[in-house]
Structure formats: structure tokens, C-alpha cells
């Protein structure tokens, strides 16, 4: 008996039925016959000597026993959790995989798909303005603990203008590309590297300044 593994979803795209194994980062175009058989494997079935079963077996999406579902969140978070992992990641911290070898394999994997990396910049509406350089002097003299103590949440504003350089500095601190400021001699960096982490290093958030009537500015990371 074989069971269908749980890390998958189905997508209909331009008349095609796509089976997506997001744990292994694999996609397969299937037929309605494949789908019917996958439904049967989802509750356990014996492999038959048919081309359909051979296709499914060779795709390595079957397991020997039904896996107990321990995931506590929704399926979308499950897809994101596994879909942004290295496909050869060890299943547990007790894995016998050498950490250095694993890290090297991850970098090799990133390099192998770098050619397929889509453009990271999406131009949206609004007028674009060049920002002045951020002010590093004030940041270099800032104490983290004192800065945290002074932080306040305020929703009452006096309407006074803020210097563009201060806005530039704030944006750089949170969204600026800082990979040029570090020693990358032994580190491969893909895409943006910011002060805040992002799952899979995707850094998919972008800041926008929205001002008075009919005025909007998109700030590209510096």
C-alpha cells in the first residue's frame, strides 16, 4: 500500500492541470486520469502495473505509510514554510548531514536557479523622486537601548514637514540594501539584504510615501 504525501497542491493553468510538490520544488502536468488515481492514493492504494501508476511512482510523491499531520496552522502557511526551504534540507536537527556540507549545498542550489530569478522591481503608480544619501553620523552615535526607550506610537501629528534626508535615513534603516556594507568574501548574496529578515530571503515588501492630495512617491531601496 502507498499513500500520497501531503506537501502538494493542484493548479489549473491555461487548460493544464498542474500537480505541485512544494516540498521538493517539483511541478508535473497531469491528466484527469492521473488526478483520479492520486485521489485514490490519498486514502491508500496498491500500485498497479499501469502507465498512470508508473508515472506517479516515478514522481516520488508516494509514501509507505499515512503521515500524521502535526501542522497546527493553515495550509497556506504550510506551503510557504516548505516552499521557501532548501529542497534538500534535513528533516530534523538530529540529521547526520554535516552543517558545512549542507550550507555549501544550499549555496550551490541558489546558484543553479539564479538564472531563472525574476525581476525584483515592480514599478507602480506615482511620481518617483531620487532620495538624498542617508545620514550615517546620527546612526553611528545612536544607542540601541536608548532608542528603544524613546520610541513612541503617535497618531496625533502637528503637520510640520519632515526633512527628506530624515525620511531617507529611516527608509534605509528598515528597507535599504545593506549587502554592500558587509564582508561578502565567503558569502553568496542573492537579491536584497536588509536589516530585517525575510523568509527565503525574498524581501517582498516595499515602502511607499503617500502625501497630500494627488501626491504619491515610490521609494526604491537605496
Amino acid at each position: 500500500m502507498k499513500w500520497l504525501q501531503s506537501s502538494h497542491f493542484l493548479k489549473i493553468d491555461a487548460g493544464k492541470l498542474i500537480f505541485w510538490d512544494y516540498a521538493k520544488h517539483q511541478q508535473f502536468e497531469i491528466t484527469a486520469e492521473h488526478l483520479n488515481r492520486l485521489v485514490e492514493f490519498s486514502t491508500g492504494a496498491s500500485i498497479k502495473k499501469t502507465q498512470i501508476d508508473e508515472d506517479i511512482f516515478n514522481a516520488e510523491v508516494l509514501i509507505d505509510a499515512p503521515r500524521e499531520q502535526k501542522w497546527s496552522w493553515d495550509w497556506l502557511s504550510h506551503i510557504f514554510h516548505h516552499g521557501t526551504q532548501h529542497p534538500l534540507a534535513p528533516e530534523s536537527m538530529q540529521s547526520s548531514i554535516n552543517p558545512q556540507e549542507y550550507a555549501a549545498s544550499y549555496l550551490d542550489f541558489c546558484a543553479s536557479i539564479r538564472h531563472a530569478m525574476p525581476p525584483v522591481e515592480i514599478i507602480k503608480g506615482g511620481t518617483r523622486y531620487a532620495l538624498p544619501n542617508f545620514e550615517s553620523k546620527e546612526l553611528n552615535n545612536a544607542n540601541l537601548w536608548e532608542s528603544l526607550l524613546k520610541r513612541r506610537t503617535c497618531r496625533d501629528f502637528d503637520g510640520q514637514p519632515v526633512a527628506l534626508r530624515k525620511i531617507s535615513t529611516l527608509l534605509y534603516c528598515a528597507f535599504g540594501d545593506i549587502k554592500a556594507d558587509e564582508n561578502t568574501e565567503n558569502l553568496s548574496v542573492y537579491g536584497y539584504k536588509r536589516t530585517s529578515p525575510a523568509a527565503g530571503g525574498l524581501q517582498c515588501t516595499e515602502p511607499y510615501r503617500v502625501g497630500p492630495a494627488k501626491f504619491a512617491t515610490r521609494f526604491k531601496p537605496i
Side-chain angles (χ1 to χ4, degrees):
M1 296 283 286
K2 295 288 184 179
W3 280 261
L4 179 64
Q5 46 93 324
S6 60
S7 55
H8 67 270
F9 65 84
L10 297 170
K11 178 177 176 59
I12 300 175
D13 184 22
K16 298 178 180 180
L17 185 60
I18 307 299
F19 180 93
W20 197 324
D21 178 356
Y22 55 81
K24 295 181 181 178
H25 297 225
Q26 299 182 111
Q27 300 175 34
F28 305 93
E29 182 180 348
I30 63 175
T31 65
E33 289 75 15
H34 286 95
L35 177 58
N36 291 334
R37 193 67 177 126
L38 288 169
V39 171
E40 294 176 356
F41 278 118
S42 69
T43 57
S46 298
I47 294 181
K48 302 176 182 178
K49 293 183 179 181
T50 65
Q51 184 61 52
I52 296 292
D53 280 24
E54 182 178 347
D55 292 341
I56 294 174
F57 179 81
N58 291 337
E60 299 181 346
V61 296
L62 300 179
I63 54 179
D64 294 328
R67 182 169 296 177
E68 181 181 354
Q69 180 57 251
K70 297 181 180 180
W71 190 258
S72 300
W73 296 347
D74 58 38
W75 281 111
L76 185 59
S77 61
H78 191 267
I79 293 171
F80 186 78
H81 174 74
H82 287 281
T84 54
Q85 286 184 345
H86 178 18
L88 301 179
E91 292 188 359
S92 70
M93 296 302 292
Q94 290 75 36
S95 172
S96 59
I97 297 179
N98 181 281
Q100 285 74 28
E101 293 179 355
Y102 168 65
S105 72
Y106 180 75
L107 292 178
D108 289 342
F109 169 71
C110 291
S112 71
I113 62 174
R114 188 174 188 178
H115 69 280
M117 182 174 65
V120 297
E121 183 179 11
I122 300 176
I123 304 299
K124 296 186 178 180
T127 305
R128 302 183 69 185
Y129 294 89
L131 291 175
N133 293 331
F134 72 97
E135 179 57 64
S136 61
K137 181 179 179 180
E138 187 174 348
L139 295 175
N140 292 334
N141 296 330
N143 178 286
L144 176 60
W145 179 239
E146 291 180 356
S147 299
L148 293 174
L149 291 178
K150 292 179 180 178
R151 191 210 66 79
R152 296 290 185 273
T153 298
C154 178
R155 294 180 176 83
D156 295 321
F157 306 101
D158 58 15
Q160 296 300 313
V162 178
L164 194 58
R165 188 175 297 277
K166 285 188 176 293
I167 295 178
S168 177
T169 300
L170 288 171
L171 289 172
Y172 183 81
C173 290
F175 299 99
D177 186 1
I178 63 171
K179 66 183 179 183
D181 298 334
E182 67 175 355
N183 179 12
T184 58
E185 181 179 354
N186 297 312
L187 179 66
S188 295
V189 178
Y190 298 90
Y192 290 131
K193 179 172 176 59
R194 294 170 173 166
T195 57
S196 54
L202 300 179
Q203 296 292 1
C204 55
T205 57
E206 290 187 348
Y208 289 82
R209 177 198 180 278
V210 179
K214 297 184 180 180
F215 180 78
T217 306
R218 177 183 183 278
F219 290 99
K220 180 182 178 182
I222 300 172

